[in-house]
Amino acid sequence: PNALHAVYVKARFERDGVGAAGRLVGVQIDLSARQRAQAALKAREDRCQLALDAMQGHVYEVDLTSNTV
């Protein structure tokens, strides 16, 4: 399937003794998974913020080990 990927690329030419380009050396990193994870985290944070806004400040913290609020 056709898919778009976000890719970071850094490269440079290695040159011979007279300055002619001999070969290209570099690295490429696929950033797609990282971007998907960031988007999922933002969506989760947005849902949590929406829930907090709807509760109008009634937030409780519960310690499940001691069963206290």
Side-chain angles (χ1 to χ4, degrees), residues 33-57:
R34 179 179 180 166
Q35 287 185 337
R36 284 191 302 272
Q38 287 174 331
L41 177 60
K42 181 168 181 352
R44 186 178 329 147
E45 289 172 344
D46 290 348
R47 284 192 306 273
C48 287
Q49 188 61 54
L50 184 64
L52 286 172
D53 292 345
M55 291 188 295
Q56 300 177 353

Side-chain angles (χ1 to χ4, degrees), residues 9-65:
V9 177
K10 184 166 185 169
R12 64 177 172 83
F13 281 105
E14 286 190 348
R15 301 196 177 272
D16 63 15
V18 293
R23 65 180 178 166
L24 183 65
V25 178
V27 64
Q28 70 179 27
I29 302 169
D30 188 342
L31 301 174
S32 302
R34 179 179 180 166
Q35 287 185 337
R36 284 191 302 272
Q38 287 174 331
L41 177 60
K42 181 168 181 352
R44 186 178 329 147
E45 289 172 344
D46 290 348
R47 284 192 306 273
C48 287
Q49 188 61 54
L50 184 64
L52 286 172
D53 292 345
M55 291 188 295
Q56 300 177 353
H58 303 293
V59 178
Y60 301 94
E61 183 174 322
V62 178
D63 184 342
L64 297 176
T65 58

